[in-house]
Amino acid sequence: MEYKQRSYPLFAACGLNCGLCPRYYTKGSSRCPGCAGEGFSDVHPACGVLSCCQRKGLEYCFLCNEYPCKRYQDDNNPDSFITHRNQFADMDKAKRIGMPAYEAELNSKVKVLEQLLSEYDDGRRKSFYCLAINLLELVDINLIMEKLATSIGHDDPIKNKAKIAVNLFQNVADEKGIYLKLCKTREK
């Protein structure tokens, strides 16, 4: 199916933060352009949620008077490349604060993620950073980035930079009770 290109593909119609997904940062043919971004149909030939939204003329499910509908009855979906844990909370937040404010916050998170991937990734941390940025609050992320800036020397090896960054994110996640691993199976 061919989808109408969305104006902001970084936040999916279903509430996933596509701009914080590892596949968004993949190079090559498996790169995902975000929800109904340019070339979306090439990597996602079918998406029932997006089809439903576009058929109803909606950008996001939370704008529908039937939300949450039967598509969301099982809110215990296992993660794929991106976590589903904040999907409903993020849609509720976007609805509460408005899309311009939510986009600004997500854009800030994307910018931090891009910095982590360019300066603190030893080739093995992309999924971890995507998950941490997705699940932690922006205020905590900014504090971690400030600590990183003062904890790491300019000439430190990338493995050292990655180790320090991961430890800082993991410590804050542990304090907040946030599990920084994808849940690949359904919770019981």
Side-chain angles (χ1 to χ4, degrees):
M1 172 170 190
E2 196 62 37
Y3 297 101
K4 177 181 176 259
Q5 193 167 337
R6 296 176 69 239
S7 61
Y8 190 69
L10 299 183
F11 188 51
C14 68
L16 293 176
N17 290 311
C18 297
L20 303 176
C21 177
R23 285 199 57 205
Y24 187 77
Y25 296 94
T26 298
K27 294 178 176 34
S29 61
S30 66
R31 181 185 181 276
C32 179
C35 182
E38 187 175 339
F40 178 81
S41 297
D42 297 336
V43 288
H44 298 287
C47 177
V49 172
L50 182 57
S51 295
C52 181
C53 277
Q54 290 198 345
R55 192 171 46 255
K56 293 178 179 183
L58 302 172
E59 283 284 309
Y60 303 100
C61 289
F62 68 81
L63 298 172
C64 181
N65 59 8
E66 297 175 37
Y67 172 80
C69 69
K70 65 182 178 185
R71 295 182 192 281
Y72 294 102
Q73 283 178 345
D74 184 8
D75 66 351
N76 193 17
N77 289 324
D79 296 331
S80 55
F81 296 99
I82 188 169
T83 184
H84 289 255
R85 277 183 265 168
N86 284 0
Q87 185 176 14
F88 296 106
D90 288 341
M91 282 196 284
D92 291 343
K93 184 176 193 175
K95 187 174 185 176
R96 186 179 72 252
I97 67 173
M99 277 310 298
Y102 190 83
E103 285 181 23
E105 184 175 311
L106 183 53
N107 289 341
S108 294
K109 285 185 163 192
V110 165
K111 186 175 179 182
V112 170
L113 178 58
E114 289 171 349
Q115 180 183 357
L116 287 167
L117 294 174
S118 70
E119 298 175 26
Y120 300 94
D121 184 19
D122 60 2
R124 302 172 13 156
R125 309 297 180 173
K126 180 171 39 172
S127 291
F128 177 86
Y129 291 145
C130 289
L131 187 60
I133 300 301
N134 206 335
L135 294 176
L136 293 172
E137 293 294 327
L138 187 57
V139 65
D140 295 321
I141 294 166
N142 287 334
L143 289 172
I144 292 167
M145 295 306 288
E146 288 174 18
K147 285 182 187 176
L148 264 177
T150 60
S151 302
I152 295 177
H154 180 69
D155 294 330
D156 281 355
I158 191 69
K159 283 191 173 199
N160 188 47
K161 290 179 180 183
K163 183 178 180 184
I164 292 169
V166 166
N167 285 336
L168 287 171
F169 278 100
Q170 189 64 61
N171 290 340
V172 171
D174 289 346
E175 288 171 14
K176 305 283 182 181
I178 297 172
Y179 181 65
L180 290 183
K181 295 225 185 259
L182 291 173
C183 299
K184 292 292 194 174
T185 59
R186 292 183 187 274
E187 296 174 9
K188 296 179 182 181

